[in-house]
Amino acid sequence: MRARRISVRPELVEGLFFLRKGTGLQEGLGFDRLSPNGVRVLTDLTDLTVAEIRNGFRGGDFSAREVAEAFNANVTAAKALNAFIVETPEKALEAADAADKAKAAGDSLGALAGVPIGMKDLFCTQGVQTTAASHMLEGFVPTYESTVSGKLWAAGAGMLGKLNLDQFAMGSSNETSYYGNVISPWRRAKKDGGRGDNAALAPGGSSGGSSSAIAARLCPAATGTDTGGSIRQPAAFTGISGIKPTYGRCSRWGIVAFASSLDQAGPMARTVRDNAILLEVMSGFDPKDSTSLDLAVPQWEAHLSSDLKGKTVGIPREYRPDGLNAEISAMWDRGIEWLKDAGAEVVEVSLPHTKYALPTYYIIAPAEASSNLARYDGVRYGQRDLPDGAGLQDMYAATRAAGFGPEVKRRIMIGTYVLSAGFYDAYYTQAQKVRALIARDFELAFEKCDLLLTPTAPSASFALGEKQADPLAMYLNDVFTVPASLAGLPAMAVPGGLDAAGLPIGLQVIGKALDEQTVLNASLAIEERAGFTARPDKWW
């Protein structure tokens, strides 16, 4: 089902900005706009972007509580998507009431006052269960707040709930969660005159709960984390945008760790502007995180511009391998033309060590995961499995066997192997050397250009279960996103269009370290020219 809209003759609603409850029209319909022909169009509040909610609330078009109630209702009605592990409608209403009270009193409002969001269940939230989608942490209720989530709440945002993900952020399809698969709201459409199908599709991973919830209008925006593409790939699969900032822009404190030298928090939303708004709030120095960058946070939203005159876009030749999906290749070509239309020059560049990026990543990330996940031993918190008569080592083994899922165990074993005596230098040390070469490739490329344009993923979304039996096929989903992660560079996914099956496909913009502004501006240029307005038909 498409967005619910009602056209009303202007004389019937003159002076009205929104419909209150009890008017006889569906609750949640409330934002009043003028169409090009002068007809007022009443739009579901949950169709609004973060910027529209922020501005509409401040302008008195609706209350923050009305917005929170509308999104809470959508969350409650969308159990079939399994996007949320924990729903927190009371938290969303609490923040909304505080925003309404502050507005009525004439107090200053936070940047996100009146805006409810979803929180990936990798961020520790004080007093609310945080599981990393694993049985290992089931029932764990933090007594502290992650730095990023704390910044969002301080800015006035409300929490609709904790979003599902791949277990410990390890996965590309959201099929490894202990709490069940997240389902994409998209369905394959009719293809070549034939029939579509109702196969449940992957929303991407690991931030699949975030991407599914945003695409289905369960929240206007959400947090994500990106270790090797876990913001960008799910954004591409569900037709939304998401940015991984420069490593160190957002604090990692209070985020359940996967691979510490790669993990980075970032926003996900339907528009580039919304991502800029959230990223400004999420970023900033944190003395509790030794990798946090002690730099001022730029005003990314204020400096958004789709004018790319004077900018040069690099097209990496290694990102167009033999056998690249024809629709992905065609979308890439359209993206190049869009950036030319925005005033940019285009040059071909080379990133010769790209072919080593995936094997490098799948040595470094599991090695760091093996170290980080050693803390889950059944002693301090989370799952504990203690067989009768068991000793300490038996408890460790039983707890980890019961608490970790198959993919997490696979990566722990890989990581432990490459760090073991006799293999450390052959694998881990060599991988770190190759990582330096990959970063150097980007440095040399950026001597010729200001940003890079690539596909985000090698295909559109696939059916759940389609690649689960073959881990290597699943890992290939990260082929275009991993290099920027290894180099710590800002990168953004933005939707470009639909494939022949009616599924979203996206483009990726990669920028120089600390140059999120150019990444956002180029993404805005693509967004404006792509004119992507497609949304999934409601079936859930």
Side-chain angles (χ1 to χ4, degrees), residues 207-367:
S207 306
S210 300
S211 66
S212 180
I214 295 167
R217 295 351 186 226
L218 310 188
C219 57
T223 58
T225 59
D226 194 307
T227 305
S230 289
I231 285 174
R232 292 161 285 160
Q233 183 250 24
F237 273 17
T238 56
I240 65 169
S241 298
I243 183 169
K244 180 195 84 69
T246 304
Y247 181 78
R249 273 287 191 201
C250 296
S251 172
R252 293 184 297 108
W253 193 85
I255 301 174
V256 179
F258 168 13
S260 299
S261 73
L262 295 160
D263 295 345
Q264 189 60 194
M268 302 172 72
R270 289 189 355 245
T271 70
V272 173
R273 181 172 297 278
D274 286 359
N275 277 280
I277 293 168
L278 265 75
L279 187 59
E280 281 187 38
V281 174
M282 295 169 67
S283 299
F285 176 63
D286 180 9
K288 295 191 293 291
D289 175 7
S290 63
T291 62
S292 178
L293 298 171
D294 192 0
L295 298 170
V297 178
Q299 294 181 316
W300 289 303
E301 185 194 9
H303 293 102
L304 277 177
S305 170
S306 58
D307 183 356
L308 300 182
K309 290 176 183 175
K311 299 293 184 182
T312 302
V313 179
I315 307 300
R317 66 173 68 101
E318 291 81 8
Y319 279 52
R320 204 185 291 266
D322 293 338
L324 177 64
N325 180 292
E327 290 179 300
I328 298 294
S329 182
M331 175 57 65
W332 193 7
D333 290 336
R334 285 196 292 276
I336 293 170
E337 294 306 313
W338 289 333
L339 293 185
K340 286 181 179 178
D341 184 66
E345 294 183 15
V346 174
V347 298
E348 186 179 78
V349 297
S350 178
L351 300 171
H353 294 92
T354 292
K355 61 184 175 182
Y356 303 117
L358 268 183
T360 298
Y361 174 83
Y362 279 102
I363 290 173
I364 293 173

Side-chain angles (χ1 to χ4, degrees), residues 66-125:
E66 287 171 317
V67 175
E69 287 176 344
F71 278 105
N72 278 340
N74 275 12
V75 171
T76 300
K79 305 292 188 187
L81 297 177
N82 199 33
F84 285 86
I85 294 176
V86 175
E87 296 174 14
T88 57
E90 72 288 350
K91 294 283 186 182
L93 293 175
E94 180 183 324
D97 290 343
D100 286 333
K101 183 178 179 181
K103 183 175 180 295
D107 297 337
S108 61
L109 298 173
L112 294 174
V115 180
I117 62 171
M119 183 63 57
K120 185 176 181 179
D121 198 29
L122 208 63
F123 293 80
C124 288
T125 44

Side-chain angles (χ1 to χ4, degrees), residues 143-493:
T143 57
Y144 53 89
E145 192 77 40
S146 79
T147 297
V148 166
S149 59
K151 284 176 175 285
L152 290 164
W153 310 148
M159 182 167 65
L160 292 160
K162 302 296 292 293
L163 290 157
N164 207 345
L165 63 145
D166 280 296
Q167 188 171 158
F168 283 106
M170 299 180 193
S172 300
S173 62
N174 231 136
E175 292 177 273
T176 70
S177 172
Y178 175 73
Y179 300 94
N181 302 343
V182 176
I183 313 296
S184 171
W186 291 86
R187 287 286 188 261
R188 293 189 181 113
K190 293 181 179 180
K191 187 174 181 180
D192 300 328
R195 299 180 61 186
D197 62 56
N198 291 322
L201 301 180
S206 64
S207 306
S210 300
S211 66
S212 180
I214 295 167
R217 295 351 186 226
L218 310 188
C219 57
T223 58
T225 59
D226 194 307
T227 305
S230 289
I231 285 174
R232 292 161 285 160
Q233 183 250 24
F237 273 17
T238 56
I240 65 169
S241 298
I243 183 169
K244 180 195 84 69
T246 304
Y247 181 78
R249 273 287 191 201
C250 296
S251 172
R252 293 184 297 108
W253 193 85
I255 301 174
V256 179
F258 168 13
S260 299
S261 73
L262 295 160
D263 295 345
Q264 189 60 194
M268 302 172 72
R270 289 189 355 245
T271 70
V272 173
R273 181 172 297 278
D274 286 359
N275 277 280
I277 293 168
L278 265 75
L279 187 59
E280 281 187 38
V281 174
M282 295 169 67
S283 299
F285 176 63
D286 180 9
K288 295 191 293 291
D289 175 7
S290 63
T291 62
S292 178
L293 298 171
D294 192 0
L295 298 170
V297 178
Q299 294 181 316
W300 289 303
E301 185 194 9
H303 293 102
L304 277 177
S305 170
S306 58
D307 183 356
L308 300 182
K309 290 176 183 175
K311 299 293 184 182
T312 302
V313 179
I315 307 300
R317 66 173 68 101
E318 291 81 8
Y319 279 52
R320 204 185 291 266
D322 293 338
L324 177 64
N325 180 292
E327 290 179 300
I328 298 294
S329 182
M331 175 57 65
W332 193 7
D333 290 336
R334 285 196 292 276
I336 293 170
E337 294 306 313
W338 289 333
L339 293 185
K340 286 181 179 178
D341 184 66
E345 294 183 15
V346 174
V347 298
E348 186 179 78
V349 297
S350 178
L351 300 171
H353 294 92
T354 292
K355 61 184 175 182
Y356 303 117
L358 268 183
T360 298
Y361 174 83
Y362 279 102
I363 290 173
I364 293 173
E368 295 185 8
S370 172
S371 176
N372 279 325
L373 271 60
R375 70 192 66 177
Y376 303 113
D377 53 14
V379 176
R380 286 161 286 191
Y381 43 73
Q383 169 76 14
R384 174 180 292 179
D385 199 308
L386 186 61
D388 291 339
L392 186 64
Q393 292 296 330
D394 296 324
M395 184 188 73
Y396 288 166
T399 295
R400 289 164 178 163
F404 292 136
E407 181 60 30
V408 175
K409 292 175 184 175
R410 180 183 294 117
R411 298 199 193 193
I412 290 173
M413 288 190 288
I414 292 171
T416 304
Y417 177 80
V418 302
L419 291 176
S420 61
F423 297 102
Y424 185 95
D425 288 337
Y427 290 101
Y428 187 73
T429 301
Q430 286 296 101
Q432 291 288 18
K433 291 178 180 178
V434 176
R435 181 180 189 175
L437 293 174
I438 291 168
R440 179 62 176 161
D441 284 350
F442 280 106
E443 291 174 7
L444 294 174
F446 283 131
E447 291 179 359
K448 301 177 182 178
C449 61
D450 301 291
L451 62 139
L452 302 173
L453 181 70
T454 78
T456 307
S459 71
S461 179
F462 47 85
L464 293 171
E466 202 170 279
K467 299 185 179 183
Q468 200 169 17
D470 185 355
L472 292 180
M474 189 71 77
Y475 295 166
L476 286 171
N477 274 282
D478 302 328
V479 66
F480 295 134
T481 54
V482 156
S485 293
L486 289 170
L489 300 174
M492 184 167 197

